[in-house]
Amino acid sequence: MSADGGAIRLALARGDFALKVDLALPPRGITAVFGPSGSGKTTLLRCVAGLERARDALVQVAGEVWQDDAHGVFVATWRRPLGYVFQEASLFDHLDVRGNLHYGLRRSGGAQQAIALDGAIELLGIGALLQRRTGQLSGGERQRVAIARALATQPRLLLLDEPLASLDLARRREIVPWLERLRDELHIPMLYVTHSADEVARLADTLVVLERGSVAACGPTAGVLAGIAAPVLLGEEAGALLEGTVGERDARWQLARVDFDGGGLWLRDSGAAIGTALRLRVLARDVSIATEEPRNTSIQNLLPAVVRAIAQDAHPSQALVQLACGGSILLSRVTARAVDALALQPGTPVWAQVKSVALVE
């Protein structure tokens, strides 16, 4: 996980569970680690942090080796320049916010850490909270304080273990914009464990999917979500992620058109200005297929496309069809009988009928 090609390579044996990961991740932005409970997500973070000792491992971040079993190297957790944010903020109740933020600096201290702490306070918008006791904070505020405390040590890597899992919907919506700000403004990589498809779609630049301790998929988020060989999100959550910009707003009908490589989609106007970059999520269940251009239909979003691949879905009666729309990919869930009736196969030109599209927010 470094600009010079540093890698994270781990092998962990613990009882009947084995974590086998071989990854080279980007030097900045959010890499989401996604998968079902028990797939090894938190174990991966703990091994990177040195809280668990991986076997036959190489952990290298920003060109610095933290573990290399081939050469007998293992750097203790407290010596690794990382920040760790847990599900629970774990703040000291007997201290106010300022005291909690400064506690982590007592061992290291130094003017640089103090400057970094001031920057973290500003970045996360917690200046008005410094005099409050932790019991007076909302869940979202507690997590912002915890993240600021982690950033104050000037880490080369930030680890976040399901930081929104313990928050209700309102608090999650409160903190996500701050996480986006971290992603866009910080020049350090972040490993972000989650089981939420919404968090992946909104926050992740890179997506790693773990399944039974192994990497099932890894790559840019949009490409991984649109894969069908081993769909990341089965059931109602399967779908594609599109990145586009607002190209037109229709004041009369309160709609906005978001243009992407392959066409444009109309959706409810969120108030975003023309030219604003947005992420859209199109679920496979909301995309139907026609072999001729539809006419006299209530569906407003019709896109010319080409069938790229077809795979059996979780139930044998269903199929996932991968559609190429220009340089973008959509997924469509249809019945296997419909695939046969329409004679769909790779290369077939079709029309994608998008019944619903959601702004990722």
Side-chain angles (χ1 to χ4, degrees), residues 243-278:
E243 298 189 2
T245 57
V246 178
E248 182 181 349
R249 297 175 68 189
D250 187 328
R252 179 184 179 188
W253 300 111
Q254 299 184 49
L255 297 171
R257 192 191 72 235
V258 177
D259 297 328
F260 61 97
D261 185 0
L265 292 169
W266 288 96
L267 65 156
R268 184 176 60 186
D269 189 356
S270 66
I274 290 177
T276 301
L278 298 175

Short mmCIF file of all heavy atoms in Angstrom, two decimals, residues 243-278:
data_model
loop_
_atom_site.label_atom_id
_atom_site.label_comp_id
_atom_site.label_asym_id
_atom_site.label_seq_id
_atom_site.Cartn_x
_atom_site.Cartn_y
_atom_site.Cartn_z
N GLU A 243 -20.25 6.84 -12.20
CA GLU A 243 -19.74 8.15 -11.82
C GLU A 243 -19.98 9.11 -12.97
O GLU A 243 -19.61 8.84 -14.11
CB GLU A 243 -18.25 8.08 -11.47
CG GLU A 243 -17.97 7.18 -10.27
CD GLU A 243 -16.53 7.26 -9.79
OE1 GLU A 243 -15.76 8.07 -10.37
OE2 GLU A 243 -16.18 6.56 -8.83
N GLY A 244 -20.66 10.22 -12.68
CA GLY A 244 -20.99 11.17 -13.73
C GLY A 244 -21.06 12.58 -13.20
O GLY A 244 -20.69 12.87 -12.06
N THR A 245 -21.56 13.50 -14.03
CA THR A 245 -21.71 14.90 -13.64
C THR A 245 -23.10 15.38 -14.04
O THR A 245 -23.70 14.89 -15.01
CB THR A 245 -20.66 15.79 -14.32
OG1 THR A 245 -20.76 15.64 -15.74
CG2 THR A 245 -19.26 15.42 -13.87
N VAL A 246 -23.61 16.35 -13.30
CA VAL A 246 -24.92 16.92 -13.62
C VAL A 246 -24.80 17.69 -14.93
O VAL A 246 -24.01 18.63 -15.05
CB VAL A 246 -25.40 17.85 -12.50
CG1 VAL A 246 -26.75 18.47 -12.86
CG2 VAL A 246 -25.50 17.09 -11.18
N GLY A 247 -25.60 17.27 -15.94
CA GLY A 247 -25.54 17.91 -17.25
C GLY A 247 -26.69 18.84 -17.54
O GLY A 247 -26.57 19.76 -18.35
N GLU A 248 -27.83 18.62 -16.86
CA GLU A 248 -29.02 19.44 -17.11
C GLU A 248 -29.96 19.33 -15.92
O GLU A 248 -30.03 18.28 -15.26
CB GLU A 248 -29.73 18.97 -18.39
CG GLU A 248 -30.93 19.79 -18.77
CD GLU A 248 -31.62 19.29 -20.04
OE1 GLU A 248 -31.03 18.42 -20.72
OE2 GLU A 248 -32.74 19.75 -20.33
N ARG A 249 -30.68 20.41 -15.66
CA ARG A 249 -31.71 20.40 -14.63
C ARG A 249 -33.01 20.87 -15.23
O ARG A 249 -33.06 21.84 -15.98
CB ARG A 249 -31.31 21.30 -13.45
CG ARG A 249 -30.04 20.84 -12.74
CD ARG A 249 -29.61 21.81 -11.66
NE ARG A 249 -30.57 21.82 -10.55
CZ ARG A 249 -30.53 22.70 -9.56
NH1 ARG A 249 -29.60 23.65 -9.55
NH2 ARG A 249 -31.41 22.64 -8.57
N ASP A 250 -34.09 20.14 -14.94
CA ASP A 250 -35.42 20.46 -15.46
C ASP A 250 -36.26 21.01 -14.30
O ASP A 250 -36.79 20.25 -13.48
CB ASP A 250 -36.05 19.19 -16.03
CG ASP A 250 -37.37 19.47 -16.75
OD1 ASP A 250 -38.07 20.40 -16.34
OD2 ASP A 250 -37.70 18.74 -17.70
N ALA A 251 -36.34 22.34 -14.23
CA ALA A 251 -37.03 22.98 -13.10
C ALA A 251 -38.52 22.63 -13.08
O ALA A 251 -39.11 22.48 -12.00
CB ALA A 251 -36.83 24.49 -13.17
N ARG A 252 -39.12 22.49 -14.24
CA ARG A 252 -40.56 22.22 -14.28
C ARG A 252 -40.90 20.91 -13.60
O ARG A 252 -41.84 20.82 -12.81
CB ARG A 252 -41.05 22.20 -15.73
CG ARG A 252 -42.54 21.90 -15.86
CD ARG A 252 -42.97 21.79 -17.30
NE ARG A 252 -44.41 21.48 -17.38
CZ ARG A 252 -45.04 21.19 -18.52
NH1 ARG A 252 -44.37 21.18 -19.67
NH2 ARG A 252 -46.33 20.91 -18.50
N TRP A 253 -40.11 19.87 -13.90
CA TRP A 253 -40.41 18.54 -13.36
C TRP A 253 -39.50 18.15 -12.20
O TRP A 253 -39.58 17.03 -11.70
CB TRP A 253 -40.32 17.50 -14.48
CG TRP A 253 -41.27 17.77 -15.61
CD1 TRP A 253 -40.95 18.17 -16.86
CD2 TRP A 253 -42.69 17.69 -15.56
NE1 TRP A 253 -42.07 18.34 -17.62
CE2 TRP A 253 -43.17 18.04 -16.84
CE3 TRP A 253 -43.62 17.34 -14.57
CZ2 TRP A 253 -44.52 18.07 -17.16
CZ3 TRP A 253 -44.97 17.38 -14.89
CH2 TRP A 253 -45.41 17.73 -16.16
N GLN A 254 -38.64 19.09 -11.79
CA GLN A 254 -37.75 18.88 -10.65
C GLN A 254 -36.90 17.62 -10.82
O GLN A 254 -36.76 16.80 -9.91
CB GLN A 254 -38.55 18.82 -9.34
CG GLN A 254 -39.31 20.12 -9.08
CD GLN A 254 -40.03 20.10 -7.75
OE1 GLN A 254 -39.43 19.77 -6.73
NE2 GLN A 254 -41.31 20.48 -7.74
N LEU A 255 -36.32 17.51 -12.01
CA LEU A 255 -35.44 16.40 -12.34
C LEU A 255 -34.07 16.93 -12.74
O LEU A 255 -33.92 18.09 -13.12
CB LEU A 255 -36.02 15.58 -13.50
CG LEU A 255 -37.37 14.88 -13.26
CD1 LEU A 255 -37.88 14.30 -14.57
CD2 LEU A 255 -37.22 13.80 -12.20
N ALA A 256 -33.08 16.08 -12.64
CA ALA A 256 -31.73 16.41 -13.08
C ALA A 256 -31.19 15.25 -13.92
O ALA A 256 -31.48 14.08 -13.63
CB ALA A 256 -30.81 16.67 -11.90
N ARG A 257 -30.44 15.57 -14.96
CA ARG A 257 -29.81 14.53 -15.79
C ARG A 257 -28.34 14.44 -15.42
O ARG A 257 -27.62 15.43 -15.43
CB ARG A 257 -29.94 14.87 -17.27
CG ARG A 257 -29.56 13.68 -18.19
CD ARG A 257 -29.44 14.09 -19.64
NE ARG A 257 -28.26 14.89 -19.87
CZ ARG A 257 -28.26 16.10 -20.44
NH1 ARG A 257 -29.40 16.65 -20.84
NH2 ARG A 257 -27.13 16.78 -20.60
N VAL A 258 -27.92 13.24 -15.09
CA VAL A 258 -26.51 13.00 -14.78
C VAL A 258 -25.90 12.26 -15.96
O VAL A 258 -26.35 11.18 -16.34
CB VAL A 258 -26.37 12.17 -13.48
CG1 VAL A 258 -24.90 11.85 -13.22
CG2 VAL A 258 -26.97 12.93 -12.30
N ASP A 259 -24.88 12.87 -16.55
CA ASP A 259 -24.23 12.30 -17.73
C ASP A 259 -23.01 11.47 -17.31
O ASP A 259 -22.26 11.86 -16.42
CB ASP A 259 -23.78 13.42 -18.67
CG ASP A 259 -24.96 14.22 -19.21
OD1 ASP A 259 -26.05 13.63 -19.38
OD2 ASP A 259 -24.79 15.44 -19.43
N PHE A 260 -22.85 10.34 -17.96
CA PHE A 260 -21.71 9.46 -17.69
C PHE A 260 -21.23 8.89 -19.02
O PHE A 260 -21.85 9.13 -20.06
CB PHE A 260 -22.11 8.33 -16.73
CG PHE A 260 -23.21 7.44 -17.26
CD1 PHE A 260 -22.90 6.24 -17.87
CD2 PHE A 260 -24.54 7.81 -17.17
CE1 PHE A 260 -23.89 5.42 -18.38
CE2 PHE A 260 -25.54 7.01 -17.67
CZ PHE A 260 -25.22 5.81 -18.27
N ASP A 261 -20.14 8.17 -19.00
CA ASP A 261 -19.60 7.59 -20.22
C ASP A 261 -20.52 6.47 -20.68
O ASP A 261 -20.44 5.35 -20.20
CB ASP A 261 -18.19 7.05 -19.96
CG ASP A 261 -17.53 6.53 -21.24
OD1 ASP A 261 -18.15 6.59 -22.31
OD2 ASP A 261 -16.36 6.07 -21.15
N GLY A 262 -21.42 6.79 -21.58
CA GLY A 262 -22.38 5.82 -22.07
C GLY A 262 -23.79 6.37 -22.16
O GLY A 262 -24.69 5.70 -22.68
N GLY A 263 -24.01 7.59 -21.67
CA GLY A 263 -25.34 8.16 -21.76
C GLY A 263 -25.64 9.10 -20.61
O GLY A 263 -24.74 9.68 -19.99
N GLY A 264 -26.92 9.25 -20.33
CA GLY A 264 -27.36 10.11 -19.25
C GLY A 264 -28.59 9.51 -18.59
O GLY A 264 -29.37 8.80 -19.24
N LEU A 265 -28.76 9.78 -17.31
CA LEU A 265 -29.90 9.26 -16.57
C LEU A 265 -30.60 10.40 -15.84
O LEU A 265 -29.95 11.23 -15.20
CB LEU A 265 -29.44 8.21 -15.54
CG LEU A 265 -28.90 6.89 -16.10
CD1 LEU A 265 -28.24 6.07 -15.00
CD2 LEU A 265 -30.01 6.08 -16.77
N TRP A 266 -31.93 10.42 -15.95
CA TRP A 266 -32.72 11.41 -15.23
C TRP A 266 -33.09 10.86 -13.86
O TRP A 266 -33.45 9.69 -13.72
CB TRP A 266 -33.99 11.74 -16.00
CG TRP A 266 -33.76 12.55 -17.25
CD1 TRP A 266 -33.63 12.09 -18.52
CD2 TRP A 266 -33.62 13.97 -17.31
NE1 TRP A 266 -33.42 13.13 -19.38
CE2 TRP A 266 -33.42 14.30 -18.67
CE3 TRP A 266 -33.65 15.00 -16.36
CZ2 TRP A 266 -33.25 15.62 -19.10
CZ3 TRP A 266 -33.49 16.31 -16.79
CH2 TRP A 266 -33.28 16.61 -18.15
N LEU A 267 -32.99 11.71 -12.86
CA LEU A 267 -33.38 11.32 -11.50
C LEU A 267 -33.88 12.56 -10.77
O LEU A 267 -33.81 13.68 -11.28
CB LEU A 267 -32.23 10.68 -10.75
CG LEU A 267 -30.99 11.54 -10.44
CD1 LEU A 267 -30.27 10.95 -9.22
CD2 LEU A 267 -30.03 11.55 -11.63
N ARG A 268 -34.38 12.35 -9.57
CA ARG A 268 -34.89 13.44 -8.76
C ARG A 268 -33.80 14.49 -8.55
O ARG A 268 -32.66 14.16 -8.22
CB ARG A 268 -35.38 12.90 -7.42
CG ARG A 268 -36.02 13.93 -6.51
CD ARG A 268 -36.54 13.27 -5.27
NE ARG A 268 -35.46 12.61 -4.52
CZ ARG A 268 -35.67 11.86 -3.46
NH1 ARG A 268 -36.90 11.60 -3.04
NH2 ARG A 268 -34.65 11.31 -2.83
N ASP A 269 -34.16 15.76 -8.73
CA ASP A 269 -33.19 16.85 -8.59
C ASP A 269 -32.83 17.03 -7.11
O ASP A 269 -33.69 17.32 -6.28
CB ASP A 269 -33.79 18.14 -9.14
CG ASP A 269 -32.77 19.27 -9.24
OD1 ASP A 269 -31.62 19.06 -8.81
OD2 ASP A 269 -33.12 20.34 -9.75
N SER A 270 -31.55 16.84 -6.80
CA SER A 270 -31.08 17.00 -5.42
C SER A 270 -30.60 18.42 -5.15
O SER A 270 -30.20 18.73 -4.02
CB SER A 270 -29.94 16.02 -5.16
OG SER A 270 -28.80 16.36 -5.95
N GLY A 271 -30.62 19.27 -6.18
CA GLY A 271 -30.13 20.63 -6.01
C GLY A 271 -28.69 20.82 -6.41
O GLY A 271 -28.17 21.94 -6.35
N ALA A 272 -28.01 19.77 -6.83
CA ALA A 272 -26.61 19.88 -7.22
C ALA A 272 -26.48 20.72 -8.49
O ALA A 272 -27.28 20.59 -9.42
CB ALA A 272 -26.02 18.49 -7.46
N ALA A 273 -25.49 21.59 -8.52
CA ALA A 273 -25.28 22.48 -9.65
C ALA A 273 -24.79 21.71 -10.87
O ALA A 273 -24.19 20.63 -10.75
CB ALA A 273 -24.27 23.57 -9.27
N ILE A 274 -25.05 22.28 -12.03
CA ILE A 274 -24.55 21.67 -13.27
C ILE A 274 -23.02 21.59 -13.21
O ILE A 274 -22.34 22.53 -12.80
CB ILE A 274 -25.00 22.50 -14.49
CG1 ILE A 274 -26.52 22.33 -14.69
CG2 ILE A 274 -24.26 22.06 -15.75
CD1 ILE A 274 -27.09 23.15 -15.81
N GLY A 275 -22.50 20.45 -13.59
CA GLY A 275 -21.06 20.21 -13.52
C GLY A 275 -20.62 19.49 -12.26
O GLY A 275 -19.47 19.05 -12.18
N THR A 276 -21.53 19.33 -11.28
CA THR A 276 -21.18 18.65 -10.03
C THR A 276 -20.97 17.16 -10.28
O THR A 276 -21.77 16.52 -10.95
CB THR A 276 -22.30 18.83 -8.99
OG1 THR A 276 -22.50 20.23 -8.74
CG2 THR A 276 -21.96 18.12 -7.68
N ALA A 277 -19.89 16.62 -9.74
CA ALA A 277 -19.63 15.19 -9.87
C ALA A 277 -20.48 14.42 -8.86
O ALA A 277 -20.56 14.78 -7.69
CB ALA A 277 -18.15 14.90 -9.62
N LEU A 278 -21.13 13.35 -9.33
CA LEU A 278 -22.00 12.54 -8.49
C LEU A 278 -21.75 11.06 -8.74
O LEU A 278 -21.29 10.67 -9.82
CB LEU A 278 -23.49 12.85 -8.76
CG LEU A 278 -23.98 14.26 -8.48
CD1 LEU A 278 -25.42 14.40 -8.94
CD2 LEU A 278 -23.85 14.59 -7.00
#
